[in-house]
């Protein structure tokens, strides 16, 4: 299978990348590094990426950001950081990418536990994740040629515990092998419109 | 209780308005009619509304739109119609309105069944609704002074059956008295961070 992984250099992306590379042809896309450079906030950049990569069997997106801050300090513009990046970045990847996925291929997007179990400071991140969950369910009804789409939503991942555990009191870290399995289930399984939740203690 | 209802002239809004007006002081806000004029897509207009209305005990929003169209025909700009209106319109109402709700008061937002059970043509509407569900859960952790927030998500409402039933094959219409009860539960109950689902056959 020819798999395009956007954000294949991040905490989760690198492990997912290494796993799929064992038995598939993987192309990584990133803002600053990878086989192809792409800024997913910019739909023109997404179009240029697909022009260069051409058709693939699976597209995995593990990219996008949103501002974390106290709600009372969040401006309207602060919310648009997440809307333009993690939300519309992923929507545009599907919107533009649908023409570049082979029949029977798949999209796998990425969100996180905040959609269902938010913590303080995450009004924007939670909102964006929840939006993607519903988008995936809806767009799965319309994609053509047997193209599937799912989203992997992980809890606090083991490799990010040091950086984020203070934000997630009482959350059990999710082993990386479980997170990777979420992506494997989406790419190599047959399901579509699924929110693949990798949570513990929820 | 002094209740501000944005969109109090629509299909659901009018009935909710009539119900609350029986035992509360209701102020309605709308784009073209109502006690106060407000365009919720414009945060300056929301600010001007609150300047004129001053403090209230409950804010109910039943306003906002999103484009319905086949996913393959949706442009990036088409998605921003819903993001600016039904999504950020409601977020801005909470962001600005938090200073105008009395202690122990409440916000009640509005989404719809598409967040959980989308139908064809609703990638944008579903996404916006799902985003609001997660936003409400997240912001409920941060609002001060005992201010609560919930969202009412209804299935196809009885009064809209004629207009929308062809989009919702097999959906059982939701009686208006049940939908109204969703708003009553939020405004007069004690819950917060709740997605009050008024669905049937899901």
């Amino acid at each position: 299978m020819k798999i395009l992984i956007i954000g294949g250099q991040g905490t989760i992306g690198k492990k997912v990348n290494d796993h799929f590379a064992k038995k598939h042809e993987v192309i990584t896309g990133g803002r600053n590094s990878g086989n192809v450079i792409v800024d997913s906030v910019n739909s023109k950049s997404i179009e240029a990426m697909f022009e260069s990569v051409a058709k693939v069997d699976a597209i995995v997106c593990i990219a996008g950001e949103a501002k974390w801050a106290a709600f009372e300090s969040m401006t309207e513009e602060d919310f648009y950081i997440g809307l333009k990046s993690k939300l519309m970045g992923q929507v545009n990847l599907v919107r533009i990418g649908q023409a570049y996925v082979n029949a029977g291929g798949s999209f796998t997007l990425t969100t996180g536990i905040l959609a269902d179990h938010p913590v303080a400071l995450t009004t924007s991140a939670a909102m964006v994740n929840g939006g993607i969950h519903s988008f995936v369910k809806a767009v799965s009804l319309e994609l053509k040629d047997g193209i599937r789409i799912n989203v992997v939503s992980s809890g606090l991942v083991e490799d990010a515990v040091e950086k984020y555990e203070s934000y997630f009191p009482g959350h059990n870290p999710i082993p990386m092998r479980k997170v990777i399995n979420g992506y494997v289930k989406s790419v190599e399984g047959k399901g579509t419109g699924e929110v693949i939740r990798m949570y513990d203690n929820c």
Side-chain angles (χ1 to χ4, degrees), chain A:
Chain A
M1 223 185 269
K2 190 172 169 185
I3 305 177
L4 170 64
I5 304 180
I6 315 296
Q9 306 298 321
T11 305
I12 295 176
K14 193 153 178 15
K15 296 261 164 113
V16 170
N17 192 344
D18 291 350
H19 181 86
F20 280 122
K22 286 178 199 160
K23 54 178 190 171
H24 299 287
E25 179 192 350
V26 173
I27 302 158
T28 59
R31 260 187 304 191
N32 306 307
S33 61
N35 305 117
V36 59
I37 298 299
V38 60
D39 178 5
S40 64
V41 172
N42 181 340
S43 53
K44 293 265 177 277
S45 172
I46 295 174
E47 278 167 18
M49 172 189 67
F50 281 118
E51 285 293 324
S52 114
V53 170
K55 286 223 164 183
V56 297
D57 300 298
I59 297 172
V60 176
C61 181
I62 318 178
E65 56 191 15
K67 179 157 181 165
W68 284 41
F71 178 66
E72 64 183 354
S73 76
M74 290 280 287
T75 65
E76 185 170 7
E77 290 68 33
D78 288 336
F79 277 97
Y80 274 98
I81 296 170
L83 295 181
K84 290 177 182 168
S85 172
K86 195 167 183 182
L87 186 74
M88 286 304 295
Q90 298 200 86
V91 168
N92 281 328
L93 195 70
V94 181
R95 204 175 53 75
I96 299 162
Q98 60 186 324
Y100 294 92
V101 178
N102 290 320
S106 67
F107 289 95
T108 305
L109 308 186
T110 299
T111 56
I113 191 170
L114 298 171
D116 301 307
H117 305 282
V119 296
L121 313 183
T122 65
T123 49
S124 173
M127 181 171 88
V128 163
N129 288 346
I132 290 288
H133 287 188
S134 296
F135 168 75
V136 163
K137 290 182 196 180
V139 79
S140 74
L141 306 175
E142 297 194 47
L143 290 175
K144 305 283 202 303
D145 301 324
I147 296 173
R148 302 177 299 105
I149 184 166
N150 302 295
V151 51
V152 178
S153 181
S154 297
L156 174 63
V157 301
E158 259 183 0
D159 288 7
V161 164
E162 205 163 314
K163 192 167 169 196
Y164 287 109
E165 69 182 339
S166 63
Y167 296 101
F168 290 92
H171 281 239
N172 293 323
I174 311 299
M176 298 310 289
R177 66 177 166 75
K178 288 199 178 182
V179 176
I180 291 166
N181 266 341
Y183 293 88
V184 172
K185 187 181 183 202
S186 176
V187 172
E188 299 182 9
K190 291 294 178 194
T192 192
E194 293 179 5
V195 179
I196 300 170
R197 292 178 164 89
M198 294 294 173
Y199 303 166
D200 186 5
N201 192 27
C202 293

